Amino acid sequence: MREIVYDKLAVGIRKKCFYGKKTLRRPIPQGGRFETLNPYEQKKNASKKRGGGPAPAHGGNSHNIRYNRTKKPPQRRRAVLLGCGILALLLVILLVTAAFSSCGRSGDGVSSALPDDSYDPAAGVLDEEELKDTLLKEGEDAGQEYIDETLFIGDSNTYRMMVYGFTTLDNDIGLVGMGLSEAWQKPCVKFQGVGTVTIPEAVKILQPRRVVLTFGTNNTVGWSTETFIAEYRKLTDAIHKAYPYADILINAIPPVSEYRQNQQVTMTTIDKFNAALAQLAKEDGYKFINSAEALKDPATGFAKDQYTITDGIHLTKIAFQEMFGYIRTHSLITEDTRPKPLKEIPKRAETQPSVVESDPYINYYKDGWPEKEEENADNLRITFGVNDPALGSLSGELSQTIAKGAQCTAVEALPAPGAVFDHWECTIGRIDNVGDPLLVFSAPYEATEDIYVKAVFVQDSGPALAGVRDRTIEQGYAGFNPLEGVTAFDSQGNTLSVTFKIYVKGDTSATVMPEVMVQTPGTYVVTYTAVNAAGVSASASAVITVTAANKPPVLSLSASSVSIEVNTPFDPLSIVSASDAEDGAIALSAANYTITNNATGALTGLGDALAAAGSYTITYTVRDSAGAVANAAAQLTVTAPPEIPADPPTPDVPVDNSTPDVPMDTSAPENSTLPPPDAAGDPVES
């Protein structure tokens, strides 16, 4: 039952409501007081109500409270109240003394939470002019793609983003109970085939376009602003170092309800931390998302009505709708500098939270505490359900209250005819084997609220075939296997056998054996079939094209050997030609031959071979369009020119310089007209 006591030691005249460990302070009407009815009076009032008696003065609610403006307490009660008041006063003095002692310790970075007794919502408004380059400004809606490219990292409120369906394990690292002192260094994110890694390492694996950090609620009690910022900076530095290609956005710590369970988490501290986070973003070149302004009641500065669940700390679905609308319209889109292509991302090993469509945990405490049997604060209520009662049901105890860390009794998922069990989901916690229909759920130690576990059933869609693909093979290919890479599974992941039939395309009148198909060029259809245990079958087909066997190219040599003298021009391509049955004539170039010195076995260039006498081998190689290769070789002999003998020496012959005596004919020729010669024999001029 809920107890209400009169307390004059609080600031002003207030009532205190106790709901388990949950407290609420609100002013009471002037001149009156509240009393708690004892069990006997409660029972008597209930009898009066059943008998049609007058309604109680407080309006007929079930809180068993009687409001009395005139009745005076008896003397004994006054004495008890006086004694309680003295004890309460001593307790307050001790608490205040302890608080001042804690505040005086500055060296260890620990301080008390700042009280909200005189909370000023205006003091929490950020200076937009000072932070004009840091605060993200309102603009067009960036859309769902912006959210999908963003990795959200934070504590339990970030985890709840998945619970309400705003994010998935693909873009959310939400860790219940996570504080800043562990966030940058504790292995806490699980990947299949990789293991458990730290948050910075997980960012590197996930390769997001940007990250949004939402930490701080768990650090508002007992932390100084200096310590808070120092630990936050460790996280941002570690993330930037691990993956410098992602933009880092710091999201504001969400506001809390005025009517919250833990009064040590104060808006005064939250506002102070948010102002410090904005400065951190400014100093380190990050951006700040001031989403808190969308969640606050402008009049009070606390979270808006119905924006938190029953604890007054965690946000509801409608609050996240407001937050994500704010994030999408206060976006940061920069150049994508991530290395391309992105590396393959392994699957997360955590359990995907069950999505809550409607929020049953909204905080209505300001209108009165809901009736609930008092329970141990360390116990949790685990409720089991299904996604669709038409597809399946559960066997076992479907509502269990257990201690944190304890196990529930087994619950089994039973699919209806035509349906199969697919997997389990839970709002908080982890299920190691989500595909096992028999579940023994363990309540996590860090949980702070009741947990919903859901069995997901789906229609039995029959077997699923994978690996069916079209292929082209060459005639005579001996390695062909129709089942290569083809697999089949039922709806529960069990492997099924696969059969096949081969037909000539366009003619299903007769099947063809695989060994016949590979020897006969043509187009064929292979139909694969798998059948599950219920007799439901599934088929898929692939086209197999058998091409005629490729004939290799042919190299033709006009001469198998060539002999030339040194430095005589020679083109090795002048004695060779290439052709292919499929490609026709093939053009050749210097890349199609090599020259080897037969004496040394070393390759040599054409110029060097022609300049030095010796024996050489010219090797020709040609490849057709299908990759077939042909080779040929010719011998090249380079000879030195023949030696020319020198001219023989000329013999010495004596030279006769004398003039021989020649008899002269002095007679004049017949009919000569020349004058007769003189005594010397010369003609005489007349």
Side-chain angles (χ1 to χ4, degrees), residues 124-162:
V125 178
L126 299 178
D127 188 338
E128 294 186 5
E129 180 61 29
E130 179 188 356
L131 300 168
K132 61 182 180 180
D133 296 328
T134 302
L135 296 177
L136 289 178
K137 298 176 178 59
E138 185 174 5
E140 295 183 0
D141 191 331
Q144 184 60 40
E145 182 181 0
Y146 180 81
I147 300 299
D148 295 339
E149 292 180 334
T150 303
L151 176 61
F152 294 84
I153 305 174
D155 48 32
S156 51
N157 266 324
T158 300
Y159 182 88
R160 297 184 73 83
M161 295 176 184
M162 290 190 287

Side-chain angles (χ1 to χ4, degrees), residues 292-305:
E293 66 178 352
L295 308 179
K296 284 184 175 183
D297 185 330
T300 66
F302 291 92
K304 292 179 182 178
D305 186 24

Side-chain angles (χ1 to χ4, degrees), residues 169 175 188-191 348-352 429-431 434:
L169 283 174
L175 302 162
C188 54
V189 188
K190 300 178 178 65
F191 289 94
R348 296 276 294 276
E350 299 94 344
T351 303
Q352 174 68 41
R430 171 180 168 79
I431 301 172
V434 295

Side-chain angles (χ1 to χ4, degrees), residues 481-526:
N481 178 7
L483 292 175
E484 180 183 1
V486 179
T487 56
F489 302 91
D490 63 16
S491 300
Q492 295 175 295
N494 300 313
T495 302
L496 301 175
S497 61
V498 180
T499 60
F500 68 89
K501 292 182 179 181
I502 303 176
Y503 304 92
V504 175
K505 188 175 183 180
D507 181 9
T508 59
S509 60
T511 59
V512 179
M513 299 301 293
E515 56 270 22
V516 175
M517 182 192 73
V518 297
Q519 297 296 337
T520 310
T523 304
Y524 302 84
V525 175
V526 182

